[in-house]
Amino acid sequence: MAAVPPPEDFRCPISLEIMKDPVILPSGHTFDRVCIQRWLDAGNRTCPISKQPLPEHPSLIPNFALRSLISNFTQVSSPLPQPYSVDPQEVIRLLLSPSLKSPERVALLDQLTRVSKTDSRLLRILAESGAVSVVVKCIDSGEPVLQEKALHFLLNLSLDDDSKVGLVAEGIVGKVVFALRRGVGDSRAVAATVITSLAVVEVNKVAVGSYPEAIAALVNLLRIGNSRERKEATTALFMLSTFPDNRVRAIQCKAIPILIENANSGSERAIEVLNLLVKSKQGRDEMVRSSSILGILIGILSNGSCRAVQHALSILTSLCSHSQKMCFKASSFGVLDICVGFLDSEIDKIRRNANSLIQVLQENQR
């Protein structure tokens, strides 16, 4: 089979050879490190392509995205094994360098984030190399763009199941909670998504949920956040609340009134979280005291999605089993007749949940 010619972008503009170590000049153009260093060592202080003036000591930022593409191309084109193309220690050195300016730091994190999205090997190498402790320092740097890029990078790392526990052990939860409370731009939403990703692992549900202010920060985001932030915070709260102790923490942080309000606004995930919190006695007690939850749940039974109806039926069954007063009110509002209508549903879970609620309501009438 004929060899595939490399894309022109893979060639250094100076040597016209495939680049081995592509780096970015402050002008934005990429060159092979050896070639551009030779150009600079000769006393040149302009970009070879744009002729833009360069500083006396211009930074050479590794173009990890391009380097990864070139590495993948050469692995496919050559039968010989290729060495891994990213040096994690070089990444750490650059991020720690006091001479690296903020835009360059942002560009470096952006490249790492884009490459690590599709390269699980890079994710593991960076997670094990000490890069995490360096990146987390960017979260409370006071620079919004840098904060957001750092969180996106940590999110990519957290998607690798083998890294989730290690990330928590590295101490990222405190920084993520900081971003939940004081982040700007998309940072708060991304921080909530990081929590969701970490909480996939059971041991992390315990560690994250018990961290001071973690659940409180999510509940606060539910209260004050925009649409995307509320959605991500609710999902994170759902993941954490699958662990029983975290349900109590969420209730103590006054999550239930906010979740009821969000459910009334059409949040299906809020109903799912309420269905977890109702498993706690404290949760049932607070929901029974709510003056609006019954009407909202009945509205969901009438107009909600199939998934929301399943959870609303389950919540009502728990509340009516817990409180005769709630059972009486539900019956007086016609919930029994609504449930009878669900017995013909094509969805097995709706039929079963409706049947359970009917039994509770009928037992209360005897």
Side-chain angles (χ1 to χ4, degrees):
M1 186 171 64
V4 179
E8 287 303 311
D9 289 344
F10 289 5
R11 298 184 184 278
C12 174
I14 297 175
S15 68
L16 302 181
E17 299 291 333
I18 294 178
M19 289 182 277
K20 297 179 179 179
D21 187 7
V23 293
I24 305 171
L25 272 185
S27 64
H29 293 285
T30 297
F31 303 86
D32 207 355
R33 184 186 292 274
V34 172
C35 296
I36 194 62
Q37 191 63 60
R38 190 180 299 122
W39 169 269
L40 296 172
D41 289 346
N44 297 296
R45 287 300 178 267
T46 58
C47 172
I49 294 178
S50 68
K51 307 305 178 184
Q52 177 182 331
L54 299 173
E56 183 61 27
H57 301 288
S59 299
L60 302 179
I61 306 300
N63 191 332
F64 290 119
L66 182 58
R67 188 189 296 183
S68 180
L69 291 172
I70 294 173
S71 176
N72 291 336
F73 176 83
T74 54
Q75 286 176 27
V76 171
S77 303
S78 171
L80 297 176
Q82 299 293 317
Y84 198 73
S85 62
V86 173
D87 180 0
Q89 297 306 318
E90 175 70 3
V91 173
I92 295 171
R93 186 190 68 77
L94 284 167
L95 287 173
L96 285 174
S97 172
S99 63
L100 193 67
K101 297 175 182 175
S102 180
E104 296 164 341
R105 206 177 298 272
V106 168
L108 179 57
L109 282 174
D110 189 50
Q111 290 175 39
L112 283 174
T113 300
R114 283 188 279 116
V115 173
S116 62
K117 276 183 180 179
T118 56
D119 197 328
S120 59
R121 293 181 305 154
L122 175 59
L123 288 174
R124 293 192 181 94
I125 288 174
L126 289 170
E128 295 167 0
S129 68
V132 173
S133 61
V134 178
V135 172
V136 294
K137 294 177 182 178
C138 300
I139 295 178
D140 57 1
S141 64
E143 301 182 37
V145 178
L146 191 59
Q147 179 186 72
E148 186 179 326
K149 295 297 182 184
L151 286 165
H152 273 293
F153 177 64
L154 292 176
L155 176 59
N156 279 1
L157 288 180
S158 74
L159 296 176
D160 179 53
D161 287 344
D162 294 335
S163 299
K164 294 181 190 292
V165 174
L167 287 171
V168 173
E170 288 262 15
I172 77 165
V173 176
K175 299 293 187 179
V176 174
V177 171
F178 173 89
L180 283 173
R181 287 202 170 277
R182 301 180 61 181
V184 294
D186 288 336
S187 290
R188 295 193 299 186
V190 179
T193 310
V194 172
I195 295 291
T196 300
S197 180
L198 294 174
V200 169
V201 179
E202 286 299 313
V203 68
N204 282 354
K205 290 179 171 65
V206 180
V208 175
S210 61
Y211 189 91
E213 301 298 313
I215 289 179
L218 288 170
V219 173
N220 185 59
L221 196 55
L222 274 177
R223 180 186 296 109
I224 67 171
N226 59 33
S227 177
R228 182 190 171 196
E229 290 168 346
R230 292 197 306 273
K231 179 181 178 181
E232 298 298 343
T234 308
T235 302
L237 200 58
F238 174 83
M239 288 300 300
L240 290 173
S241 296
T242 58
F243 178 65
D245 287 0
N246 289 338
R247 298 169 195 163
V248 176
R249 294 184 179 106
I251 294 163
Q252 291 171 343
C253 292
K254 309 298 182 186
I256 286 178
I258 303 167
L259 288 165
I260 292 173
E261 182 180 333
N262 278 264
N264 194 35
S265 300
S267 171
E268 186 176 289
R269 182 64 84 181
I271 297 293
E272 295 179 7
V273 180
L274 286 169
N275 195 27
L276 288 173
L277 301 188
V278 79
K279 299 179 187 298
S280 163
K281 181 180 182 301
Q282 297 97 315
R284 293 192 293 273
D285 287 341
E286 185 161 343
M287 290 184 209
V288 166
R289 289 193 293 268
S290 169
S291 61
S292 61
I293 191 169
L294 181 58
I296 291 170
L297 292 174
I298 291 173
I300 291 170
L301 295 182
S302 301
N303 302 304
S305 67
C306 293
R307 190 173 183 83
V309 167
Q310 293 173 32
H311 289 290
L313 288 168
S314 179
I315 293 168
L316 281 168
T317 301
S318 295
L319 295 179
C320 291
S321 299
H322 180 68
S323 166
Q324 281 191 329
K325 181 180 178 181
M326 179 65 77
C327 198
F328 175 79
K329 287 175 65 178
S331 296
S332 66
F333 285 178
V335 170
L336 183 59
D337 291 337
I338 296 173
C339 289
V340 171
F342 284 133
L343 295 179
D344 294 327
S345 172
E346 296 179 353
I347 300 173
D348 179 63
K349 201 160 189 177
I350 288 181
R351 291 198 306 273
R352 286 191 283 110
N353 288 359
N355 188 58
S356 297
L357 182 51
I358 288 171
Q359 291 179 23
V360 172
L361 293 173
Q362 288 177 337
E363 286 175 6
N364 190 64
Q365 292 176 351
R366 293 171 187 165

PDB file of all heavy atoms in Angstrom, residues 12 35 40 53 55 70 167 179 203 219 223 278 319:
ATOM      1  N   CYS A  12       8.045  21.569   9.405  1.00  0.00           N
ATOM      2  CA  CYS A  12       8.576  22.832   9.922  1.00  0.00           C
ATOM      3  C   CYS A  12       8.718  23.825   8.770  1.00  0.00           C
ATOM      4  O   CYS A  12       9.263  23.480   7.710  1.00  0.00           O
ATOM      5  CB  CYS A  12       9.937  22.596  10.575  1.00  0.00           C
ATOM      6  SG  CYS A  12      10.767  24.111  11.105  1.00  0.00           S
ATOM      7  N   CYS A  35      15.092  23.961  14.869  1.00  0.00           N
ATOM      8  CA  CYS A  35      15.223  24.948  13.792  1.00  0.00           C
ATOM      9  C   CYS A  35      15.018  26.368  14.299  1.00  0.00           C
ATOM     10  O   CYS A  35      15.800  27.281  13.971  1.00  0.00           O
ATOM     11  CB  CYS A  35      14.222  24.638  12.680  1.00  0.00           C
ATOM     12  SG  CYS A  35      14.513  23.061  11.868  1.00  0.00           S
ATOM     13  N   LEU A  40      17.035  31.740  16.416  1.00  0.00           N
ATOM     14  CA  LEU A  40      17.164  32.707  17.512  1.00  0.00           C
ATOM     15  C   LEU A  40      18.621  32.853  17.942  1.00  0.00           C
ATOM     16  O   LEU A  40      19.090  33.958  18.243  1.00  0.00           O
ATOM     17  CB  LEU A  40      16.293  32.276  18.693  1.00  0.00           C
ATOM     18  CG  LEU A  40      14.782  32.249  18.450  1.00  0.00           C
ATOM     19  CD1 LEU A  40      14.053  31.612  19.633  1.00  0.00           C
ATOM     20  CD2 LEU A  40      14.249  33.658  18.211  1.00  0.00           C
ATOM     21  N   PRO A  53       8.038  41.341  15.330  1.00  0.00           N
ATOM     22  CA  PRO A  53       9.129  41.432  16.305  1.00  0.00           C
ATOM     23  C   PRO A  53       8.907  40.490  17.478  1.00  0.00           C
ATOM     24  O   PRO A  53       7.774  40.290  17.931  1.00  0.00           O
ATOM     25  CB  PRO A  53       9.093  42.895  16.746  1.00  0.00           C
ATOM     26  CG  PRO A  53       8.384  43.619  15.655  1.00  0.00           C
ATOM     27  CD  PRO A  53       7.381  42.655  15.115  1.00  0.00           C
ATOM     28  N   PRO A  55      10.298  39.245  21.526  1.00  0.00           N
ATOM     29  CA  PRO A  55      11.042  39.725  22.700  1.00  0.00           C
ATOM     30  C   PRO A  55      12.470  39.188  22.699  1.00  0.00           C
ATOM     31  O   PRO A  55      12.807  38.257  21.947  1.00  0.00           O
ATOM     32  CB  PRO A  55      10.228  39.179  23.882  1.00  0.00           C
ATOM     33  CG  PRO A  55       9.435  38.054  23.330  1.00  0.00           C
ATOM     34  CD  PRO A  55       9.152  38.394  21.899  1.00  0.00           C
ATOM     35  N   ILE A  70       1.179  14.357  15.124  1.00  0.00           N
ATOM     36  CA  ILE A  70       2.335  13.858  14.373  1.00  0.00           C
ATOM     37  C   ILE A  70       2.736  12.471  14.872  1.00  0.00           C
ATOM     38  O   ILE A  70       3.036  11.570  14.088  1.00  0.00           O
ATOM     39  CB  ILE A  70       3.516  14.844  14.486  1.00  0.00           C
ATOM     40  CG1 ILE A  70       3.180  16.160  13.780  1.00  0.00           C
ATOM     41  CG2 ILE A  70       4.791  14.238  13.900  1.00  0.00           C
ATOM     42  CD1 ILE A  70       4.217  17.260  13.988  1.00  0.00           C
ATOM     43  N   LEU A 167      -6.949  11.556  42.190  1.00  0.00           N
ATOM     44  CA  LEU A 167      -7.189  12.998  42.120  1.00  0.00           C
ATOM     45  C   LEU A 167      -7.691  13.536  43.453  1.00  0.00           C
ATOM     46  O   LEU A 167      -7.271  14.607  43.908  1.00  0.00           O
ATOM     47  CB  LEU A 167      -8.203  13.305  41.016  1.00  0.00           C
ATOM     48  CG  LEU A 167      -7.684  13.175  39.578  1.00  0.00           C
ATOM     49  CD1 LEU A 167      -8.830  13.284  38.587  1.00  0.00           C
ATOM     50  CD2 LEU A 167      -6.629  14.235  39.283  1.00  0.00           C
ATOM     51  N   ALA A 179     -13.868  26.851  43.408  1.00  0.00           N
ATOM     52  CA  ALA A 179     -14.423  27.270  42.118  1.00  0.00           C
ATOM     53  C   ALA A 179     -15.943  27.257  42.128  1.00  0.00           C
ATOM     54  O   ALA A 179     -16.581  28.105  41.490  1.00  0.00           O
ATOM     55  CB  ALA A 179     -13.887  26.367  41.004  1.00  0.00           C
ATOM     56  N   VAL A 203     -15.890   5.323  47.000  1.00  0.00           N
ATOM     57  CA  VAL A 203     -15.067   5.899  48.056  1.00  0.00           C
ATOM     58  C   VAL A 203     -14.993   7.418  47.921  1.00  0.00           C
ATOM     59  O   VAL A 203     -14.867   8.138  48.924  1.00  0.00           O
ATOM     60  CB  VAL A 203     -13.655   5.259  48.049  1.00  0.00           C
ATOM     61  CG1 VAL A 203     -12.880   5.654  46.791  1.00  0.00           C
ATOM     62  CG2 VAL A 203     -12.871   5.635  49.294  1.00  0.00           C
ATOM     63  N   VAL A 219     -25.435  23.169  46.827  1.00  0.00           N
ATOM     64  CA  VAL A 219     -26.786  23.649  47.132  1.00  0.00           C
ATOM     65  C   VAL A 219     -26.887  25.148  46.859  1.00  0.00           C
ATOM     66  O   VAL A 219     -27.889  25.641  46.317  1.00  0.00           O
ATOM     67  CB  VAL A 219     -27.162  23.326  48.593  1.00  0.00           C
ATOM     68  CG1 VAL A 219     -28.496  23.980  48.966  1.00  0.00           C
ATOM     69  CG2 VAL A 219     -27.234  21.816  48.804  1.00  0.00           C
ATOM     70  N   ARG A 223     -29.199  27.379  44.144  1.00  0.00           N
ATOM     71  CA  ARG A 223     -30.016  28.539  44.518  1.00  0.00           C
ATOM     72  C   ARG A 223     -29.739  29.743  43.620  1.00  0.00           C
ATOM     73  O   ARG A 223     -30.668  30.427  43.197  1.00  0.00           O
ATOM     74  CB  ARG A 223     -29.741  28.909  45.978  1.00  0.00           C
ATOM     75  CG  ARG A 223     -30.546  30.107  46.495  1.00  0.00           C
ATOM     76  CD  ARG A 223     -30.127  30.511  47.889  1.00  0.00           C
ATOM     77  NE  ARG A 223     -30.390  29.470  48.863  1.00  0.00           N
ATOM     78  CZ  ARG A 223     -29.462  28.735  49.474  1.00  0.00           C
ATOM     79  NH1 ARG A 223     -28.169  28.934  49.194  1.00  0.00           N
ATOM     80  NH2 ARG A 223     -29.786  27.823  50.357  1.00  0.00           N
ATOM     81  N   VAL A 278     -35.796  11.417  50.051  1.00  0.00           N
ATOM     82  CA  VAL A 278     -36.987  10.942  50.764  1.00  0.00           C
ATOM     83  C   VAL A 278     -36.732   9.605  51.457  1.00  0.00           C
ATOM     84  O   VAL A 278     -37.507   9.191  52.324  1.00  0.00           O
ATOM     85  CB  VAL A 278     -38.182  10.827  49.779  1.00  0.00           C
ATOM     86  CG1 VAL A 278     -38.105   9.551  48.948  1.00  0.00           C
ATOM     87  CG2 VAL A 278     -39.516  10.911  50.522  1.00  0.00           C
ATOM     88  N   LEU A 319     -43.879   9.303  51.180  1.00  0.00           N
ATOM     89  CA  LEU A 319     -44.475  10.331  52.035  1.00  0.00           C
ATOM     90  C   LEU A 319     -45.802   9.872  52.626  1.00  0.00           C
ATOM     91  O   LEU A 319     -46.089  10.123  53.808  1.00  0.00           O
ATOM     92  CB  LEU A 319     -44.677  11.627  51.240  1.00  0.00           C
ATOM     93  CG  LEU A 319     -43.403  12.329  50.756  1.00  0.00           C
ATOM     94  CD1 LEU A 319     -43.760  13.585  49.974  1.00  0.00           C
ATOM     95  CD2 LEU A 319     -42.481  12.667  51.930  1.00  0.00           C
TER      96      LEU A 319
END
